[in-house]
Amino acid sequence: MLHWCTDEVDPKDRFDYWREVRARGLFGVTAELARERRADFFGEFSLRRLGGAGLVELKASPYAVERSASDIAYAPGEAICVYQQLGSGGWFGGMRTSDFAIANGSFATSHTDLPYRTAPLGTGGFHLRILKIPVSSIPVQDKRMRELAPRTFNDPALASLLAACFADLGEIAADDAASAVQTSLVQALAHLALIERGVVRPGSRRGQEALRTARLSQARRLIVRHLEDPNLAPAMVADQLGVSVRHLHMLFEMAEKSFSQTVTDERLNQSRRLLREAPERLIADIAASCGFESLATYYRVFNAAYGMAPGDFRAKGTDKGTDGR
């Protein structure tokens, strides 16, 4: 992962460096800020390569951004972008379509090589994630992809699926073991964006694959959200997803683990985290908070998974911490 912050540059040079090296050189945009405001400028970003795409998280104090025809000629992107607004909001304009604002938590999509202008709303500055997916890596090839001017993601049902995939992608470690999952999520995000923009049909093979991947991500996140409920069951999750129980089980058939195995694994992972991070907490309380129906069940399942009791796992972690001091 590449991470960079303006703290690494002398204060008087921070915005100039950001404008010339980061904004223009890395992102292919023109950055502008009144000279009297440049001394207080702050910016940082991270870039991760995931599943053939680039995931950027950017935070910066307010300034104006333009991707002009000359910027595009200088640094063509030939990619589909999915933006997630995390800050106080942003404005997009200077396009063939009308101007629009994007609220906190909302998404927008575009092709990289169409002009636009953007600026943060309010004084909070920029905070957003951008997934940049090369057009060449998207199985569906359609000339309409190169005509996608920036636009908000307006379908609420698709937006919730997009959010689940985006969140999963951000949580997956960038390692070889996760590369297949990363690629699947990136492709799902690309095709969800193209479904929303009318380029891919939901009922097509690619559209159905994207929807299945996204619903599986959403199902897993619903499981994590309700771990403490001992009555967590397929019917509850299916109801919140708006699908049948049979359809939910079919989603998990495409995954490595069944619904029940996923629930158990997530409960065990959560309990291990609590055993490490809350050494004063009673093991019975941890078991209940993770949704195990009884302490005896928790001990049995934990021992079967890790070959030791929860208390031994906690003691082992404490011993490692002591040895490290």
Side-chain angles (χ1 to χ4, degrees):
M1 181 175 75
L2 172 64
H3 180 267
W4 187 84
C5 177
T6 48
D7 289 347
E8 300 175 23
V9 180
D10 188 286
K12 65 181 177 60
D13 299 323
R14 285 176 181 173
F15 183 76
D16 289 338
Y17 188 93
W18 181 273
R19 180 182 58 187
E20 298 303 325
V21 178
R22 298 306 174 186
R24 183 164 171 78
L26 185 61
F27 301 117
V29 297
T30 298
E32 293 298 339
L33 181 64
R35 187 163 297 278
E36 64 271 16
R37 297 173 57 197
R38 294 182 182 181
D40 298 324
F41 178 78
F42 170 83
E44 66 175 334
F45 72 89
S46 62
L47 169 62
R48 295 171 61 188
R49 297 292 179 188
L50 299 169
L55 179 63
V56 173
E57 182 161 352
L58 181 147
K59 297 179 182 179
S61 48
Y63 66 101
V65 175
E66 181 177 12
R67 181 138 166 90
S68 64
S70 60
D71 291 322
I72 294 165
Y74 172 78
E78 192 57 18
I80 299 297
C81 281
V82 182
Y83 310 83
Q84 184 182 26
Q85 182 70 39
L86 299 174
S88 56
W91 166 85
F92 276 84
M95 307 162 296
R96 289 176 297 180
T97 55
S98 59
D99 297 2
F100 67 88
I102 176 169
N104 180 30
S106 297
F107 293 89
T109 54
S110 73
H111 188 277
T112 52
D113 297 346
L114 293 172
Y116 67 86
R117 295 194 302 273
T118 185
L121 295 173
T123 59
F126 286 106
H127 185 193
L128 65 158
R129 291 195 188 106
I130 308 167
L131 183 66
K132 199 172 182 180
I133 311 164
V135 168
S136 60
S137 72
I138 302 174
V140 172
Q141 293 294 308
D142 190 305
K143 65 180 182 180
R144 289 175 293 174
M145 289 194 290
R146 294 169 176 82
E147 301 170 356
L148 301 181
R151 196 181 79 183
T152 51
F153 208 90
N154 293 318
D155 186 318
L158 285 176
S160 64
L161 295 174
L162 194 79
C165 287
F166 223 96
D168 276 359
L169 189 64
E171 292 172 5
I172 291 173
D175 57 29
D176 292 339
S179 60
V181 179
Q182 293 170 8
T183 300
S184 175
L185 288 168
V186 167
Q187 291 299 317
L189 283 160
H191 288 103
L192 287 172
L194 294 175
I195 288 172
E196 202 271 343
R197 300 298 293 264
V199 176
V200 170
R201 290 183 298 104
S204 68
R205 182 170 65 87
R206 298 293 183 188
Q208 287 296 304
E209 286 177 1
L211 291 169
R212 282 195 298 269
T213 298
R215 285 180 182 134
L216 183 59
S217 279
Q218 198 173 38
R220 286 171 172 155
R221 301 192 77 79
L222 285 169
I223 287 171
V224 170
R225 192 181 307 164
H226 295 285
L227 280 181
E228 76 286 354
D229 188 345
N231 297 315
L232 175 60
M236 175 196 295
V237 175
D239 183 61
Q240 293 195 36
L241 279 179
V243 301
S244 67
V245 173
R246 181 174 179 275
H247 184 82
L248 179 70
H249 284 302
M250 288 175 62
L251 292 178
F252 279 91
E253 285 176 5
M254 64 181 276
E256 293 181 0
K257 298 173 183 176
S258 67
F259 179 92
S260 61
Q261 288 172 323
T262 300
V263 171
T264 299
D265 283 357
E266 291 293 347
R267 283 176 167 158
L268 286 171
N269 289 338
Q270 173 78 336
S271 75
R272 290 176 67 191
R273 184 182 67 80
L274 292 173
L275 286 168
R276 287 192 300 264
E277 296 178 4
E280 75 291 344
R281 194 167 177 182
L282 293 175
I283 291 176
D285 183 37
I286 288 175
S289 72
C290 294
F292 288 97
E293 60 185 19
S294 70
L295 186 59
T297 299
Y298 176 51
Y299 268 82
R300 176 176 54 79
V301 173
F302 195 100
N303 190 70
Y306 306 119
M308 66 179 77
D312 295 332
F313 174 84
R314 171 180 273 173
K316 187 176 179 181
T318 304
D319 289 343
K320 285 183 178 179
T322 302
D323 292 341
R325 286 196 293 269

